Amino acid sequence: MDQLSEVGRDLETRARSVLPAGGLGNMAATTVIRSGRLGRVWDEDGNEYVDFLIGSGPMLVGHAHPEVTEAVQEQVARGTTFFANNAHAIALAEAIVEAVPCAEKVRFVSTGTEADLYAMRLARAFRRRDKILKFEGGYHGMSDYGLMSLWPQRPGNFPQAAPDSAGIPRSVRDDMLVCPYNDLATAETLIHEYQDELAGVIVEPMQRLLPPAPGFLEGLRAITAKYGIVLIFDEVVTGFRLSYAGGQGFYGVTPDICTLGKVIGGGFPLAAIAGRDDIMAHLDRARVGEDGFMPQIGTLSGNPVAAVAGLASLRILKRPGAYERIFDNGRRLWAGLEAGLKEAGFTVCISGEPVMFDAMFTAGPVRNYRDTLAADAGLAKRFTTLLRGHGVFKSESKIYVSLAHDDADIAHSVAAFARAAEELAAEMR
Ligand SMILES: Cc1ncc(COP(=O)(O)O)c(C=O)c1O
């Protein structure tokens, strides 16, 4: 046992004594990351990994990118948060309005959870109705509303929503409706039936790793527009990732409002609600009066450190060839993953888009949350663990590709996919 592994073990022991379940709520207590640089991370045991977690998405340009680091260091020396307006947050809002089709106004918050919570409330304030329709398995943060029918193990009847956490008031069930993703006919029927009670429809344009079926987002757009119901795209993951114009640019469907997070904070806590001026007006008492006003305050909202990190990231992503490179990286990794698993004899369905995808151990097709339950999650988990042993770091459910991954990272990972797949097959014999 070398010294660094003692350090790692000691940290794990300390974590278990002070953190519930020994962790931050995100990853297993046994994973303690010390540093990251571009496409790689190092753990406290000194192991090096090609990183496909990328901080759960924010580090699209890579860890400690020199331009982001320089911008942040410069700002830190000038003060880290003021609560009042600052020029960097204004510039970031301008960049979002320029890039994102639905964005006429922007309100910053600190997390995607907050952004989604406020986006749903904005829909209620605008429509003066209570119900929100979401799609089963759709992730919209950790609020009471977001946690309805997020990952039910025993799915119920549509459109009844069920809480996926202890501690959620019973009353929340009455305010959420749930529909299967990619099932436009059911969505249209529900929206028609509940048109007088619905404030909004919230959807991830690509739900987790499930791309929208042809016509699905277009159909949602048409029926919500028909009844004046607010269409919310949760672009916390897809924003500035599927394209510089987000999922709405990539799939060519513009919602009324969207939420953004992850990439726009450049690795710092920053998220946003962006959308139509007349809906965002409910954040402006002077525009809508006392009755329609929706107060929204946050200590760190739009803080200048996060704003400069986000601006630097967007500058890098806007350069010609950036998305081509991320997609090219992703296509090579996708092909390597699929080949490795299939050659080892597994039946898999690789789902997602080249910027984020993963193998599901099922013949597919995988079009909605219930289809994902047919995949063997145990195999996916074990494959992820075996990959870790070959210097590839990812979550159990996703490979996030970054601009910083280079040819060496990709070659290493493709070889690791093949070796881990062979080991997994050997374990099953
Ligand atoms: C689609 C989506 N929405 C919202 C969130 C919540 O964002 P945060 O973790 O910043 O609260 C996430 C987080 O992964 C997400 O994937």
Side-chain angles (χ1 to χ4, degrees), residues 1-293:
M1 183 172 57
D2 63 24
Q3 183 145 8
L4 279 172
S5 55
E6 265 174 48
V7 172
R9 237 191 292 280
D10 178 50
L11 279 168
E12 188 193 330
T13 309
R14 285 168 50 201
R16 287 195 190 282
S17 74
V18 290
L19 304 173
L24 303 174
N26 299 328
M27 301 285 285
T30 45
T31 305
V32 189
I33 298 297
R34 185 177 58 200
S35 61
R37 182 155 177 75
L38 299 174
R40 301 214 173 194
V41 290
W42 289 261
D43 68 18
E44 286 288 355
D45 289 332
N47 299 308
E48 178 173 346
Y49 305 93
V50 177
D51 180 27
F52 295 121
L53 183 62
I54 61 169
S56 193
M59 309 318 297
L60 184 57
V61 302
H63 295 281
H65 189 292
E67 287 175 56
V68 179
T69 304
E70 193 189 329
V72 167
Q73 284 175 338
E74 218 169 87
Q75 184 55 43
V76 166
R78 292 187 179 142
T80 50
T81 197
F82 308 115
F83 201 60
N85 272 5
N86 65 83
H88 306 296
I90 295 167
L92 182 59
E94 286 169 343
I96 291 169
V97 167
E98 193 186 299
V100 178
C102 80
E104 292 176 351
K105 288 268 165 52
V106 178
R107 171 58 61 90
F108 290 116
V109 292
S110 294
T111 68
T113 289
E114 281 177 87
D116 285 338
L117 175 68
Y118 290 128
M120 289 187 262
R121 191 178 293 158
L122 263 175
R124 292 193 203 97
F126 178 74
R127 283 269 296 163
R128 296 180 183 270
R129 290 171 173 83
D130 288 343
K131 286 194 198 307
I132 301 283
L133 183 142
K134 71 163 292 205
F135 294 88
E136 189 177 55
Y139 193 115
H140 305 299
M142 291 282 111
S143 71
D144 291 345
Y145 303 96
L147 276 161
M148 299 304 283
S149 300
L150 167 56
W151 41 52
Q153 285 313 300
R154 276 171 289 125
N157 296 329
F158 297 113
Q160 202 179 339
D164 278 315
S165 168
I168 294 179
R170 286 192 67 81
S171 56
V172 175
R173 288 163 213 235
D174 299 335
D175 293 329
M176 296 297 287
L177 298 173
V178 176
C179 178
Y181 185 72
N182 270 336
D183 181 346
L184 182 60
T186 302
E188 284 174 340
T189 304
L190 288 173
I191 292 167
H192 176 75
E193 190 179 335
Y194 288 91
Q195 57 180 282
D196 291 331
E197 294 169 74
L198 270 173
V201 172
I202 187 165
V203 63
E204 294 179 80
M206 166 166 133
Q207 183 175 296
R208 310 288 72 207
L209 294 181
L210 310 175
F216 177 64
L217 295 177
E218 290 84 349
L220 285 184
R221 177 63 290 180
I223 182 127
T224 49
K226 177 173 167 192
Y227 295 121
I229 293 164
V230 177
L231 180 62
I232 306 166
F233 275 8
D234 180 337
E235 295 238 40
V236 170
V237 167
T238 52
F240 291 96
R241 188 184 316 277
L242 282 177
S243 75
Y244 196 74
Q248 51 197 284
F250 189 72
Y251 295 120
V253 177
T254 305
D256 298 306
I257 55 177
C258 74
T259 55
L260 298 162
K262 302 201 190 259
V263 175
I264 63 163
F268 288 83
L270 188 138
I273 309 112
R276 259 170 51 186
D277 180 54
D278 57 337
I279 301 174
M280 300 296 285
H282 287 269
L283 295 164
D284 182 350
R285 186 186 263 118
R287 294 267 306 271
V288 293
E290 209 56 56
D291 266 9
F293 179 52

